[in-house]
Amino acid sequence: GLEIDILTDGTLSVPNEVLATLDYCIAGVHSSHKMEKSEMSARIIKALESDFVDIISHPSGRLLNERSSFDLDWDKIFEVAAKNNKILEINAFPNRLDLRDDLVRQALKYGVKFIINTDAHQISQMNNMPFGVSVARRGWVEAKDVINTLSYGELLKYIKH
């Protein structure tokens, strides 16, 4: 798998020929964070409609005490995610905690599935998992709504749908 950038026009930073070789793809906004609501929403929706994207990472783009969340049409984002069987990340890194618990609960109403991810860049950061679990619990998420509670075989089937 690979985490890639969603470019400003909603295209992906890696060519489709490469994406086709992956077992899974995580896509996220990593630049140009200050876009108008309609433009940023369209950017993420285009990625959600890609056949190659499985997961959207840190969906709101927030960094606590550093950067506010994107202004997005969350209802449309969640509708498209559910329709296209896409997974939204609950990022457990303490300066992200993204997706927020209120948005997790809203997404759950659309039938969106989640992955809880530590965003670890070193082994000690694997200890961040309880923060993501806490966000999920505050959003009323159950184990059945989180793909990384599945067995390895079930997880592969789910991602390869």
Side-chain angles (χ1 to χ4, degrees), residues 3 58 89-96 116-129:
E3 182 174 7
H58 39 77
E89 178 189 54
I90 297 174
N91 188 303
F93 207 79
N95 73 336
R96 282 200 185 271
I116 302 174
N117 181 8
T118 61
D119 203 9
H121 293 196
Q122 51 188 308
I123 291 174
S124 65
Q125 294 171 345
M126 293 296 290
N127 294 327
N128 292 337
M129 187 58 91

Side-chain angles (χ1 to χ4, degrees), residues 67-139:
R67 183 176 64 224
S68 296
S69 299
F70 305 138
D71 187 15
L72 293 171
D73 181 345
W74 287 110
D75 287 315
K76 186 68 175 168
I77 298 287
F78 299 148
E79 178 184 316
V80 173
K83 176 183 167 205
N84 290 290
N85 204 32
K86 304 301 180 178
I87 302 154
L88 297 183
E89 178 189 54
I90 297 174
N91 188 303
F93 207 79
N95 73 336
R96 282 200 185 271
L97 300 178
D98 181 9
L99 203 56
R100 296 187 327 253
D101 56 356
D102 61 316
L103 293 173
V104 168
R105 182 144 186 229
Q106 186 179 346
L108 194 58
K109 291 176 183 176
Y110 284 86
V112 172
K113 297 293 185 187
F114 303 93
I115 186 167
I116 302 174
N117 181 8
T118 61
D119 203 9
H121 293 196
Q122 51 188 308
I123 291 174
S124 65
Q125 294 171 345
M126 293 296 290
N127 294 327
N128 292 337
M129 187 58 91
F131 302 128
V133 172
S134 292
V135 170
R137 285 182 175 160
R138 285 193 311 271

